[in-house]
Amino acid sequence: MTSARRQTPSHTSELVEAARHFGRRRFLTATGAAAALAFATDIPPAGAASAREYDARRITDNPFTLGVASGDPLPGSVLLWTRLAPKPFQADSGLPAQRVTVQWELAHDEKFRRVARRGSVTAHPEYHHSVHVEVTGLQAGRVYYYRFRTGSRVSETGRTRTAPAASSTAALTLAAVSCQAYHDGYFTAYKHLAAEDLDVVFHLGDYLYEYAVDAVGGARKYTDRKLPALFDKETETLEDYRLRYALYKSDPDLRAAHAAHPWVVTWDDHETENNYADEIPEKDQPVDPFLIRRAAAYRAYWENQPLRRAQLPSGIDCRLYRRLHWGQLAQFDILDTRQYRSDQAYGDTAHVPGPESTDPKRTITGATQERWLTDGFRTSGALWNVVPQQVTFSERRLDLNSQAKLSMDSWDGYSASRERVLAGAEAAGVENLLVLTGDVHVSYAFDIKKDFADPDSRNLGTEIVTTSIASGKDGAEKPDTWDTYMKANPHLKHFNGRRGYVTVALDTDRARADFRTVSHVTTPGAPVTTAASFVTEAGAPGLKPA
């Protein structure tokens, strides 16, 4: 973080917001020749029809080194992903700038004796030979197995599932994960996550980190290998981000978790740069180079995640917020609290509430996304309204002073946004609001209060914050701030600083959250345990130990 950040005007209307976005696009056409050339060079257009076809039989090394994944399940459809990379730590991934044909299969059984769908797709060099297959015509609420083939090579088998039919009230078990700094430790938690009985995994941001990774993998301290020097730098260009995804996906536990369950992903800041806000970089830097960097980061994110065509970036913008359903049981409103937010108040340092942070014009979602969210509450027919998003939603007082400091990067720095969202949920009659959060490298469980200053005020919902997979290294069961936070925040029911993930089981009666933790990540092989479990009853928000 930095103490001197540039402030930008707040935007409260669609018209102003649209004008601002038009201004961004003008940058790509009206700015100086050097910036335009850099953008054109780093972000090639997606039009691979002119690329020659490469004979896949010439691929001698395994092209599926980055694994397989699936995502965004619908009642009759699921997205399948892979990327061809026989030499993943090379800029070209070991393939020429030619298109490659890839076959795919989706079956009812692991041995592929009962194939449900099959087809072929082109891996385009413009998309770094990534493959995104939107399979349709499937049965609702079913488990499927899938694999890819190119030339003589066959990928590992992935397991996925479709969402249940719109009328279904079938129970659901999800997992929430976040923050996997490769240089801070092993992804041991993912090995355990892969073995869980889950319907879907939500990744809430910081899938990778832009920081340099040295030859020994940082805290991993490799003794049996050396990482290439090309990772020992901060990511800035499209090539940098693509290579960093290859490094992260080289982790076998991450690949196992992707292959085991369908994922729904959204980003936070580190997929691009720490604590950026909209078009404003972390430090006091020119905006134009940052927008080029942001466009590169967004492009690489889509290429390397199980995302549908609707999420393909357009220049420097990407519509990542979206809505999914799990029958009548749950509506998922997946947010993007990074791309459209106002700049952090008070230089992005912890601060007591003041005119900068409480200004009603400030927004963490942007006006359009905020209206989309509250409109979705009004039209929702689901029992549980689940909001997977990035940064702490509930008030979190950082000290015991009568007027405590708050984080300016979380919803506390955008309190008017939070008030509008909660008012929208109340007005819509939402009884079972469940917010899923990442970012802070610890796990929390909050009652979401109508008035956080009054511990006796009504509960409007529940917030479940998952800890990190690796970020923050081993952590501690009770961080140094444990006593202070628990005393300062009566609505905080749980606080643990170990690494891991959280599972949430939803049915028509209640939601149960199990906080799953590992004791260490700087060395591999830690077992998993349940640090705490809480339930909240349908129609009566309020966390109770299970």
Side-chain angles (χ1 to χ4, degrees):
M1 290 188 289
T2 178
S3 59
R5 292 176 60 98
R6 201 170 346 201
Q7 298 292 319
T8 56
S10 299
H11 308 284
T12 57
S13 71
E14 254 191 303
L15 182 62
V16 174
E17 189 167 315
R20 179 178 55 157
H21 289 177
F22 174 73
R24 286 184 190 159
R25 293 183 176 88
R26 283 198 64 216
F27 154 77
L28 299 181
T29 57
T31 195
L37 177 62
F39 188 86
T41 302
D42 283 350
I43 313 294
S50 61
R52 290 192 302 153
E53 182 162 6
Y54 185 69
D55 186 351
R57 292 173 297 180
R58 298 173 62 186
I59 302 175
T60 56
D61 295 322
N62 174 25
F64 300 109
T65 56
L66 306 183
V68 299
S70 67
D72 281 21
L74 303 176
S77 173
V78 71
L79 186 286
L80 307 181
W81 174 93
T82 192
R83 184 162 76 79
L84 305 183
K87 297 185 183 300
F89 292 174
Q90 289 183 188
D92 63 2
S93 299
L95 290 173
Q98 297 177 27
R99 52 193 170 95
V100 180
T101 298
V102 179
Q103 290 80 37
W104 57 269
E105 287 183 299
L106 191 83
H108 294 287
D109 63 303
E110 289 184 83
K111 295 185 181 298
F112 290 83
R113 290 173 177 153
R114 295 186 297 133
V115 174
R117 290 286 185 276
R118 59 161 54 99
S120 63
V121 64
T122 299
H124 293 298
E126 284 85 348
Y127 294 134
H128 213 205
H129 293 105
S130 63
V131 169
H132 300 72
V133 182
E134 299 189 25
V135 185
T136 59
L138 302 178
Q139 297 177 31
R142 291 293 301 268
V143 170
Y144 290 95
Y145 299 87
Y146 64 96
R147 64 187 178 186
F148 298 91
R149 181 194 305 269
T150 189
S152 62
R153 295 284 187 162
V154 181
S155 74
E156 64 193 276
T157 296
R159 176 183 178 275
T160 190
R161 68 167 59 238
T162 52
S167 60
S168 173
T169 56
L172 160 72
T173 301
L174 63 86
V177 298
S178 180
C179 301
Q180 51 199 53
Y182 187 97
H183 56 275
D184 271 359
Y186 289 87
F187 296 166
T188 307
Y190 277 139
K191 180 178 181 179
H192 299 295
L193 183 82
E196 296 268 12
D197 184 11
L198 302 171
D199 295 298
V200 63
V201 174
F202 288 86
H203 197 292
L204 305 176
D206 294 344
Y207 188 96
L208 61 69
Y209 281 68
E210 74 276 28
Y211 305 134
V213 181
D214 62 21
V216 298
R220 296 186 178 210
K221 293 183 170 59
Y222 292 139
T223 58
D224 60 342
R225 75 194 89 165
K226 294 288 185 183
L227 295 178
L230 54 85
F231 297 120
D232 200 5
K233 58 179 287 192
E234 185 163 329
T235 54
E236 293 183 343
T237 67
L238 179 58
E239 179 179 304
D240 292 339
Y241 286 106
R242 285 171 164 174
L243 285 166
R244 195 59 54 89
Y245 281 105
L247 173 63
Y248 276 60
K249 288 177 178 290
S250 72
D251 185 276
D253 295 329
L254 174 58
R255 292 200 309 273
H258 269 301
H261 315 293
W263 285 38
V264 177
V265 300
T266 186
W267 57 39
D268 193 18
D269 52 343
H270 287 289
E271 289 89 350
T272 301
E273 181 193 51
N274 179 56
N275 281 25
Y276 80 94
D278 193 0
E279 61 189 39
I280 305 164
E282 177 189 16
K283 299 180 176 67
D284 189 14
Q285 302 164 338
V287 171
D288 288 1
F290 173 71
L291 291 179
I292 296 173
R293 176 181 183 176
R294 199 186 87 165
Y298 286 10
R299 176 67 167 255
Y301 184 84
W302 184 85
E303 290 174 345
N304 287 280
Q305 297 289 10
L307 287 165
R308 294 178 181 268
R309 183 84 183 185
Q311 278 65 61
L312 176 65
S314 175
I316 58 173
D317 294 315
C318 174
R319 168 68 182 267
L320 194 60
Y321 66 88
R322 59 206 188 278
R323 179 169 293 127
L324 299 173
H325 297 89
W326 203 264
Q328 293 183 353
L329 184 71
Q331 174 174 295
F332 298 106
D333 294 308
I334 301 104
L335 299 189
D336 173 359
T337 63
R338 192 58 60 176
Q339 186 178 179
Y340 312 106
R341 64 162 64 193
S342 307
D343 195 13
Q344 289 93 337
Y346 298 109
D348 196 14
T349 58
H351 203 279
V352 298
E356 280 192 39
S357 61
T358 61
D359 185 345
K361 296 178 182 178
R362 289 176 52 74
T363 175
I364 195 171
T365 60
T368 300
Q369 183 180 193
E370 182 182 296
R371 183 159 48 253
W372 168 87
L373 176 61
T374 55
D375 286 348
F377 289 154
R378 285 197 295 272
T379 59
S380 174
L383 177 65
W384 296 94
N385 284 92
V386 186
V387 182
Q389 56 95 50
Q390 294 75 22
V391 295
T392 305
F393 182 84
S394 301
E395 184 175 270
R396 181 177 52 132
R397 304 182 194 103
L398 305 179
D399 58 56
L400 295 170
N401 296 327
S402 58
Q403 191 171 34
K405 290 183 177 179
L406 308 173
S407 167
M408 293 296 104
D409 189 60
S410 71
W411 288 75
D412 279 337
Y414 304 83
S415 55
S417 269
R418 180 170 60 206
E419 290 167 7
R420 289 191 295 267
V421 168
L422 289 178
E426 267 198 293
V430 170
E431 293 185 339
N432 301 302
L433 176 65
L434 177 62
V435 177
L436 301 178
T437 301
D439 180 58
V440 285
H441 310 169
V442 299
S443 58
Y444 296 131
F446 289 102
D447 287 336
I448 300 174
K449 310 298 288 188
K450 182 174 177 63
D451 179 2
F452 286 104
D454 178 7
D456 296 323
S457 71
R458 189 159 63 90
N459 293 326
L460 299 183
T462 301
E463 181 177 13
I464 301 297
V465 181
T466 184
T467 187
S468 62
I469 292 293
S471 305
K473 302 180 183 177
D474 292 336
E477 184 177 346
K478 288 189 175 183
D480 292 341
T481 55
W482 193 89
D483 282 332
T484 297
Y485 286 14
M486 294 301 289
K487 292 175 182 175
N489 300 281
H491 56 289
L492 175 60
K493 307 302 180 182
H494 165 76
F495 179 11
N496 185 288
R498 291 293 190 195
R499 307 296 140 243
Y501 54 92
V502 63
T503 64
V504 180
L506 295 175
D507 60 28
T508 55
D509 296 321
R510 65 179 188 167
R512 175 188 172 115
D514 291 308
F515 293 92
R516 305 278 279 161
T517 59
V518 294
S519 57
H520 53 275
V521 296
T522 52
T523 54
V528 68
T529 187
T530 300
S533 299
F534 290 84
V535 296
T536 182
E537 304 294 333
L543 287 161
K544 301 170 185 175

